[in-house]
Amino acid sequence: RVAQMFRSCALRLATEARGALLRNHATTEQAPNASLLLSLPPLSSFAFRSPLRTYADSNTKTEIITKTSTGDCIVLKGLTFFARHGVLEEEAKLGQKFVVDVKLYCCLEAAGKTDDVSATVDYSEVYKQVKQVVQEGKRYNLVESVAQDIVSNVFETFQQVEAIKVRVKKPQVALMGELEYSGVQIHRFR
């Protein structure tokens, strides 16, 4: 566990250093210092990688993407709950269905090699946390708050989760037209 945290921290530092060099290059139009870039350990040397990070330079409106993801993630899709969230009084009285999708970005290599549940995130516990926030917890006006509380609870409980993507959908939203759903999707990094 300590080695995993060290690799994660080292990767984050290497990624941030590369990103800083690339951002500096984008703003000053000078070539990044090649010897400094070469002195950084290659990102592929880390067994534990955090997901795709995007750096945007507001001065030049350029977007620089540093890819550090192996693609490892645990997916919980279509978690469906009945709840009474929403701004409208009718939503509080009648309630409606909410559908939640969660992607947990974490290294799954150890779990894959050992077939040991303690080496991964127990998604039954993640399900319980999502249910607690959406169905059993307090009433929210905004689905943005529902999504953010899901993220906060997961990060607090599961240290191995480096990033999370949460989508909260309201398929029965009352609007003056036909649509599949309204909702939010948020990405958060530890």
Side-chain angles (χ1 to χ4, degrees), residues 129-149:
Q129 286 191 357
V130 173
K131 183 177 182 180
Q132 172 59 37
V133 170
V134 179
Q135 186 171 325
E136 299 167 355
K138 70 179 187 178
R139 183 180 176 281
Y140 299 90
N141 287 324
L142 303 176
V143 290
E144 291 87 341
S145 297
V146 173
Q148 185 59 52
D149 277 1

Side-chain angles (χ1 to χ4, degrees), residues 19 22 38-39 46 56 62-63 91 98 101 115 119 121 130 133 135 144 150 154-155 165 167 170 173 175 177:
L22 293 172
L38 291 174
S39 71
F46 294 97
T62 57
E63 193 173 88
E91 292 174 306
F98 289 82
D101 300 329
D115 198 29
V121 174
V130 173
V133 170
Q135 186 171 325
E144 291 87 341
I150 291 169
V154 169
F155 275 162
K165 183 189 296 186
R167 178 183 298 148
K170 293 169 66 171
V173 66
L175 292 176

Side-chain angles (χ1 to χ4, degrees), residues 102-176:
V102 179
K103 276 191 177 184
L104 308 167
Y105 293 89
C106 54
C107 183
L108 302 176
E109 185 175 3
K113 287 181 177 179
T114 64
D115 198 29
D116 181 2
V117 72
S118 68
T120 190
V121 174
D122 182 351
Y123 52 82
S124 68
E125 289 300 316
V126 174
Y127 177 88
K128 290 176 188 173
Q129 286 191 357
V130 173
K131 183 177 182 180
Q132 172 59 37
V133 170
V134 179
Q135 186 171 325
E136 299 167 355
K138 70 179 187 178
R139 183 180 176 281
Y140 299 90
N141 287 324
L142 303 176
V143 290
E144 291 87 341
S145 297
V146 173
Q148 185 59 52
D149 277 1
I150 291 169
V151 168
S152 297
N153 286 353
V154 169
F155 275 162
E156 185 177 311
T157 307
F158 301 101
Q159 297 304 311
Q160 64 269 51
V161 175
E162 285 292 311
I164 185 171
K165 183 189 296 186
V166 175
R167 178 183 298 148
V168 179
K169 301 183 279 191
K170 293 169 66 171
Q172 298 165 332
V173 66
L175 292 176
M176 297 303 214

